[in-house]
Amino acid sequence: MRINGKSIASNLVLIIVSLLILGPLFLILNISMKTTEEFLNNPVTIFKTLNWSNFKVAWIQAEMKVYFKNSFIYTIFGALGTCVIATLAAYPIARKHFKGSNLIYLLFLSAIFLPGGLVPLLFIMKFMGFTNTYYGFILMKIAYGLPIAIFILVGFVKGLPKELDEAAAIDGCGYFRYILTVVFPLIKPAFLTVAMLSAIGIWNDFINPYLFITDKEMRPLTSGLYMFFGQYSTNWTVLSAGIILVAAPLVLLYFFLQRFIISGVTSGAVKG
């Protein structure tokens, strides 16, 4: 049997990368199951018993019931808005239904690589009355997610046969009806990919809520984790449990959608 050196090197790199990613996750999970005494005595040893009380303390101390509600509102409406707007924009751009579609597409692509202007954004949000509001923060996150969403969806739409457009036009199918009944089912993997990427960006956002949401009752879940940091000490076991609670919903969502996400990203990257 012949040994392939490239295959061994690739597998070795994948193993190293997997350990670098899974190592910190296992460390956080291990700390979350320990008592404070066990953690202070030896932080790196494996927990002896399952200490679920840390999760209860984290849920109550960080007021996660309120923050979970806010995070779900921002994430669901932000991701859904990004997907709908990106789908409606990607189809005419991919089919070049108007003059300057290539220029519009180039502007969206440039927004992926250019940093966002924080000072102008602060001025616009304040001028339009979007600060400290649910809808203002959701609209801002939709704007942040549109460039990468349109990039993925345009690449996917370009791979659809144009004969479908002609057949729908002959049958008298309306423009928006065609997008809803024909285009949308065909780009479902890319749509779910965009939804997942948008949800991750909104759910994990930590800085923007502190800049644009001053009301504590309106801040998302990531802001609750900051409550565990004290001036002189930090309860690392409860903090680790809080991190697990924050990360768990997205991990479960990715677990169920990973097949669509992988196919959507690869298709959007190579088509067009």
Side-chain angles (χ1 to χ4, degrees), residues 80-98 104 108 146 149-150 153-154 157 174-181 183-184 187 191 194:
L80 182 61
T82 300
C83 293
V84 172
I85 296 175
T87 301
L88 295 176
Y91 176 68
I93 290 175
R95 292 294 194 251
K96 296 181 174 59
H97 285 174
F98 59 94
I104 297 297
F108 277 111
L146 280 178
I150 290 178
L153 292 176
V154 166
V157 172
Y175 189 82
F176 290 103
R177 181 184 175 188
Y178 174 71
I179 295 178
L180 181 63
T181 60
V183 175
F184 175 72
I187 65 171
F191 188 89
V194 170

Side-chain angles (χ1 to χ4, degrees), residues 50-165:
L50 297 176
N51 185 29
W52 298 105
S53 61
N54 289 330
F55 293 90
K56 182 178 179 181
V57 173
W59 180 270
I60 297 174
Q61 184 175 338
E63 301 177 8
M64 286 193 173
K65 182 179 180 180
V66 176
Y67 292 132
F68 254 109
K69 181 199 71 173
N70 294 334
S71 288
F72 276 117
I73 291 174
Y74 295 134
T75 302
I76 292 174
F77 287 99
L80 182 61
T82 300
C83 293
V84 172
I85 296 175
T87 301
L88 295 176
Y91 176 68
I93 290 175
R95 292 294 194 251
K96 296 181 174 59
H97 285 174
F98 59 94
K99 291 183 179 180
S101 59
N102 288 333
L103 177 60
I104 297 297
Y105 185 49
L106 181 62
L107 290 176
F108 277 111
L109 290 182
S110 63
I112 299 176
F113 305 101
L114 297 177
L118 182 58
V119 175
L121 182 59
L122 285 169
F123 174 78
I124 293 173
M125 292 285 288
K126 184 177 180 180
F127 177 78
M128 300 188 70
F130 285 171
T131 56
N132 208 37
T133 61
Y134 283 107
Y135 64 87
F137 189 78
I138 290 172
L139 289 175
M140 183 191 68
K141 298 308 296 184
I142 290 175
Y144 268 122
L146 280 178
I148 187 64
I150 290 178
F151 167 69
I152 294 174
L153 292 176
V154 166
F156 213 93
V157 172
K158 285 183 178 180
L160 301 180
K162 293 184 178 181
E163 289 76 11
L164 291 175
D165 302 8

Side-chain angles (χ1 to χ4, degrees), residues 200-221:
I200 291 174
I202 299 171
W203 187 274
N204 291 334
D205 192 359
F206 177 78
I207 299 298
N208 287 316
Y210 276 96
L211 296 177
F212 302 105
I213 301 177
T214 58
D215 189 352
K216 176 184 172 182
E217 298 297 321
M218 297 179 63
R219 284 178 175 171
L221 192 58

